[in-house]
Amino acid sequence: MTSAVERTDVLVVGSGFGGAIAAYHLAAGGARVTVLERGPWLRTEEFTHDYKLGSSYTRIFDFVVGDGMSVLGGNCVGGGSVVYFAAMPRAPRFVFDRRGSIGRRMWPRSVSRDTLDPWYDRVEEALPVSRQSWQDASYAGGLWAAACDRAGRTANPLPAAIDTDTCVNCNFMMAGCRFDAKRSLTTNYLPAAIAHGARIRPLHEVQHLTRTEDGAYRVHYDVIDEEDYRLRHDSGVIEAKVLVLAAGAGATPVILQRSAAHLGAMPHAVGRYFSGNGERLNTAVVDEARAAELLGLERGPGQPAYGANAIGRGPTVASWDRLDGNLPEYSRFSLEQLYFPPGLGTILAQAPGPSGPTWFGPEKKALLERWSSWLTVFSMTEDDNEGVFGAPPATGNAHRISQQMLGRGTLSYRPTRNTWRGWEESDAEVREILERDGLARVLPWTNDLVGAYTVHPLASCRMGDDPDTSALDDRNELRGHPGIFVTDGSAVPGALTVNPAMTIAATAERAVPGIVAAARERGVDVAYGAPAPDGGTAGRAGVLPLLKAAPASSA
């Protein structure tokens, strides 16, 4: 086992949106930066487009089953940016005024849509992000838009981090893009960080943190096997003056919980107030004849009107009619057309059986035979931050069951009446749109057997103004532990009603000046002000006035 202690200026745990953005800016500013990533580092050509267990896609996901909530996240260099659908909307204005279960504003007073917009601009420039046109809409997106229009609803092409000129519409983007059309962080922030000297170490799983006598931190890690993640080959320690935790909302709180024995008590909110972004799935089976008659869809002689679920890309069209700040909290949500492949669809889709929904039997077989006529609608609602993590496992973020992907976690989630209200109202809206005049039959998700799920975990170490209900201050620094910052989805205070990647990235960008200031106070020769990874500087225009107006300690 490794015994020597390595040293770096800044150590970043995780390489997704929160980690890659911090790593780039700190490395570009002159700091020595090391990034530890639990998952593998796959080359573009290594992504396998088959969704078969045991192939590369299994290695880049982390699926953790909790008590009432399962979490699907990224597990590779690039983190969630490798396995996301690249939808990048900004959070609605009302989100920042949400009160949630604590009955008062969850977000810090210093963070609003207005103050975050310049940081959104920086992310849009860096990836870059652009709004898709109707010509970019997939078959599934087009059908969803037409159904919304017929039901008197509006629909919108989604902003996305996709190079539409390079995209081949293979619809395997969730398993990693083989064509670099999806703007994963492996195409921008991470290579730029490496160009400035950052070191990225895959298959390094952080276990706990300790503190040195002079106030620095030591990060204790294991090196795991590249095929069987239950095996550990080595261990080591890296000492750093500043830590940036960005292991994801399902892992960052577990690392901190396990570290309490060494660092002292953690803020009360560490491992509490977890949000699943209020997510919900509805699978609709489209009646091809009714789609042709009601929507006027056609694809040529002998072809079904729709029957093209797999053609295109993930989400391309969303309905935002219920993103209205005048509506009561827990009744606001977005509805997004989504593509899930047959492999995952086999697990998720529930056929109507004689005694209720079923995953097995002749009804399920008949449903699966019609998979090309499915339309999946993804709801993002407002939940009540009910999730709580139990005592951490001995190692890792979960008790790993299989060699890759699957684990049993300590997260407990009991939906409140408020959360159920959001789910039920969004389910009803999907049925109102798609079941009108027999266009489709909607098969909503049920929590009865497997509980809720999320692909966008949030808020388990959230920022805020109230020390009793937030783990971080408004600069993303961990309360009571100076020099430790959290920049991943766990820092976002609650559900966003839209895809959260853009907001996670923007809040990470916003946190960097404070991290730079803390590093300088700890003797690191580092500056802030790097351009976008491609050298662009337009996105800096709105940020500079904010930095000049900020206190000297955070500029």
Side-chain angles (χ1 to χ4, degrees):
M1 293 293 183
T2 301
S3 57
V5 176
E6 299 179 71
R7 288 175 175 81
T8 189
D9 292 331
V10 179
L11 191 137
V12 180
V13 181
S15 59
F17 286 103
I21 288 172
Y24 164 64
H25 284 291
L26 289 157
R32 294 178 300 159
V33 176
T34 301
V35 180
L36 300 186
E37 166 57 51
R38 177 185 58 186
W41 193 342
L42 298 185
R43 298 183 303 274
T44 298
E45 60 271 20
E46 291 183 275
F47 295 124
T48 53
H49 287 175
D50 56 22
Y51 291 114
K52 293 180 180 178
L53 295 177
S55 64
S56 67
Y57 104 90
T58 312
R59 300 174 61 200
I60 62 177
F61 282 104
D62 184 47
F63 186 69
V64 176
V65 179
D67 180 10
M69 171 68 75
S70 296
V71 179
L72 181 66
N75 184 65
C76 56
V77 172
S81 78
V82 173
V83 300
Y84 79 142
F85 279 121
M88 297 292 278
R90 302 186 184 198
R93 186 172 298 274
F94 66 77
V95 159
F96 301 96
D97 293 319
R98 283 198 63 209
R99 299 169 69 85
S101 59
I102 61 175
R104 55 189 177 277
R105 196 177 193 270
M106 292 189 292
W107 284 79
R109 289 185 299 274
S110 59
V111 184
S112 67
R113 173 61 185 266
D114 289 335
T115 62
L116 203 57
D117 267 336
W119 305 104
Y120 279 132
D121 292 342
R122 293 219 69 180
V123 177
E124 284 197 352
E125 178 186 34
L127 291 182
V129 176
S130 60
R131 185 174 295 277
Q132 299 176 95
S133 69
W134 284 114
Q135 286 69 37
D136 298 319
S138 63
Y139 282 97
L143 185 140
W144 172 240
C148 286
D149 181 64
R150 188 172 185 277
R153 293 358 184 237
T154 64
N156 311 269
L158 278 161
I162 298 173
D163 181 347
T164 55
D165 292 334
T166 307
C167 179
V168 300
N169 289 317
C170 70
N171 226 336
F172 277 95
M173 62 195 304
M174 194 175 69
C177 180
R178 290 180 64 96
F179 310 100
D180 284 338
K182 182 171 68 173
R183 301 302 192 181
S184 301
L185 299 179
T186 53
T187 67
N188 38 69
Y189 283 100
L190 286 173
I194 294 170
H196 286 283
R199 297 177 298 167
I200 301 177
R201 298 185 179 182
L203 300 171
H204 281 57
E205 184 177 68
V206 172
Q207 303 303 332
H208 67 273
L209 317 172
T210 58
R211 186 180 285 113
T212 66
E213 292 183 358
D214 61 358
Y217 291 96
R218 285 182 173 173
V219 177
H220 301 254
Y221 64 84
D222 289 342
V223 180
I224 62 177
D225 188 80
E226 64 179 353
E227 294 293 339
D228 190 339
Y229 296 162
R230 297 169 296 185
L231 303 178
R232 284 159 167 73
H233 294 302
D234 202 353
S235 64
V237 180
I238 299 181
E239 187 175 303
K241 297 176 181 179
V242 171
L243 299 184
V244 179
L245 298 184
T252 290
V254 179
I255 293 171
L256 291 176
Q257 286 178 320
R258 197 182 292 118
S259 301
H262 309 281
L263 298 181
M266 290 292 150
H268 173 77
V270 169
R272 291 181 170 86
Y273 304 109
F274 175 93
S275 167
N277 202 34
E279 293 174 358
R280 184 87 161 166
L281 276 180
N282 283 269
T283 300
V285 183
V286 176
D287 185 310
E288 296 287 350
R290 299 297 279 166
E293 176 186 352
L294 299 174
L295 304 180
L297 300 181
E298 60 179 45
R299 294 178 57 206
Q303 295 293 317
Y306 172 49
N309 185 31
I311 301 174
R313 59 181 72 102
T316 58
V317 175
S319 178
W320 293 328
D321 290 344
R322 293 294 292 270
L323 297 185
D324 182 351
N326 295 317
L327 294 173
E329 193 171 6
Y330 305 107
S331 64
R332 302 171 295 202
F333 52 82
S334 64
L335 301 175
E336 189 173 279
Q337 152 269 324
L338 190 62
Y339 171 70
F340 268 114
L344 289 175
T346 300
I347 301 171
L348 297 174
Q350 301 163 74
S355 58
T358 178
W359 273 269
F360 307 100
E363 296 89 355
K364 181 63 177 287
K365 182 178 180 180
L367 176 66
L368 293 177
E369 289 175 350
R370 298 185 60 193
W371 71 266
S372 63
S373 295
W374 290 2
L375 176 68
T376 304
V377 179
F378 187 44
S379 304
M380 287 167 278
T381 72
E382 295 170 303
D383 68 3
D384 230 357
N385 291 82
E386 302 98 317
V388 178
F389 285 81
T395 60
N397 66 313
H399 301 284
R400 194 166 292 281
I401 297 172
S402 63
Q403 69 177 32
Q404 299 165 8
M405 194 175 185
L406 183 62
R408 181 77 187 184
T410 65
L411 176 63
S412 175
Y413 191 87
R414 296 288 180 270
T416 66
R417 183 65 251 166
N418 288 329
T419 297
W420 275 108
R421 175 184 177 181
W423 288 342
E424 288 168 351
E425 291 193 17
S426 64
D427 286 351
E429 181 74 353
V430 174
R431 290 195 300 271
E432 173 64 22
I433 293 170
L434 290 176
E435 292 189 341
R436 180 178 291 252
D437 297 324
L439 173 62
R441 182 172 187 180
V442 176
L443 310 173
W445 179 270
T446 175
N447 288 35
D448 294 344
L449 293 181
V450 296
Y453 73 94
T454 182
V455 295
H456 298 137
L458 302 169
S460 53
C461 290
R462 67 185 185 182
M463 68 170 79
D465 291 328
D466 179 7
D468 292 332
T469 58
S470 60
L472 315 174
D473 63 20
D474 72 341
R475 294 198 313 162
N476 292 68
E477 193 167 23
L478 184 66
R479 298 185 185 279
H481 300 276
I484 298 179
F485 293 81
V486 177
T487 58
D488 57 21
S490 65
V492 174
L496 300 175
T497 66
V498 295
N499 312 74
M502 187 67 167
T503 299
I504 295 171
T507 55
E509 282 277 7
R510 179 185 174 275
V512 171
I515 300 172
V516 169
R520 291 180 62 85
E521 291 169 1
R522 289 167 170 264
V524 179
D525 185 12
V526 59
Y528 176 77
D534 68 351
T537 57
R540 297 166 63 181
V543 169
L544 292 177
L546 297 177
L547 298 177
K548 292 177 181 177
S553 62
S554 61

